[in-house]
Amino acid sequence: LASKIGNYNIQSPVYYKVVVSSSLFPNVYNSKTSALGFKFKSGYIQAYKGLQSDIPLNQRFSSGGSNSIRGWNALELVPEFTADNVQDLLSIQNFTLQDFNALFSRGLTPGGFFIFEGSIETRNRLSESFGTAVFIDYGNTWISYKDVQWKKMAIAAGFGFRIYTSF
């Protein structure tokens, strides 16, 4: 639309990114100091003009870190490159071998175009300032929703202490 109105020649891909996230906190403890929570997130990116491989790396999906799957470092969970999906990149998405080499020679994480992740967590306050949390996180990112395999789902469980402050 911008190229038609302003007579611009847009060289970058035109794409849409859909992310759905939801949280649920059922009142199972019947307490003001403890809570059980469920978190779910799914997203999809699709180029409808231009090459999918030209979608900026910072717009792609990755998982891991304190607000995602806590058993992995931030942005650590990205699609694995195998002979099969490299071939998919080279043929289906017009992703050239030069693009592939450029990404990895610069040490960039390519990110995925489909994400699925969630969490189950219980938080219990021990005092006004201290509490505990027990969690199970799950999910991953893939090049396409067609690549989702349950055996490739990352799962992390843990226990932690929480400090509550006034800021």
Side-chain angles (χ1 to χ4, degrees):
L1 181 62
S3 64
K4 300 261 189 234
I5 293 173
N7 199 20
Y8 298 115
N9 184 10
I10 298 176
Q11 299 296 321
S12 60
V14 182
Y15 63 95
Y16 62 90
K17 182 177 187 178
V18 177
V19 178
V20 176
S21 65
S22 179
S23 298
L24 174 67
F25 299 94
N27 189 14
V28 296
Y29 294 127
N30 205 14
S31 167
K32 292 184 180 184
T33 59
S34 298
L36 176 68
F38 300 90
K39 179 179 78 168
F40 170 80
K41 177 180 170 182
S42 185
Y44 181 68
I45 303 171
Q46 176 66 49
Y48 59 89
K49 182 178 179 189
L51 301 178
Q52 184 134 336
S53 60
D54 288 335
I55 294 175
L57 298 177
N58 65 351
Q59 293 299 306
R60 300 180 191 186
F61 296 119
S62 59
S63 291
S66 61
N67 292 317
S68 180
I69 302 169
R70 291 169 267 194
W72 279 260
N73 291 325
L75 314 178
E76 184 177 357
L77 290 171
V78 295
E80 287 183 0
F81 286 97
T82 64
D84 292 337
N85 65 20
V86 167
Q87 190 60 40
D88 288 345
L89 282 173
L90 294 173
S91 62
I92 295 173
Q93 299 173 357
N94 297 319
F95 196 85
T96 67
L97 188 57
Q98 290 79 13
D99 291 336
F100 185 78
N101 287 331
L103 285 174
F104 290 100
S105 67
R106 293 185 302 181
L108 297 175
T109 302
F113 301 104
F114 182 76
I115 189 170
F116 176 83
E117 64 181 31
S119 181
I120 302 167
E121 180 172 346
T122 180
R123 293 182 184 180
N124 302 291
R125 248 191 170 151
L126 303 174
S127 69
E128 189 172 320
S129 301
F130 297 100
T132 61
V134 178
F135 64 87
I136 299 173
D137 296 336
Y138 57 90
N140 211 333
T141 58
W142 291 270
I143 293 171
S144 168
Y145 64 88
K146 296 174 187 175
D147 297 328
V148 173
Q149 296 179 16
W150 296 112
K151 65 181 180 183
K152 299 285 185 172
M153 191 73 65
I155 299 174
F159 171 83
F161 292 99
R162 302 188 69 80
I163 299 174
Y164 299 100
T165 66
S166 60
F167 60 91

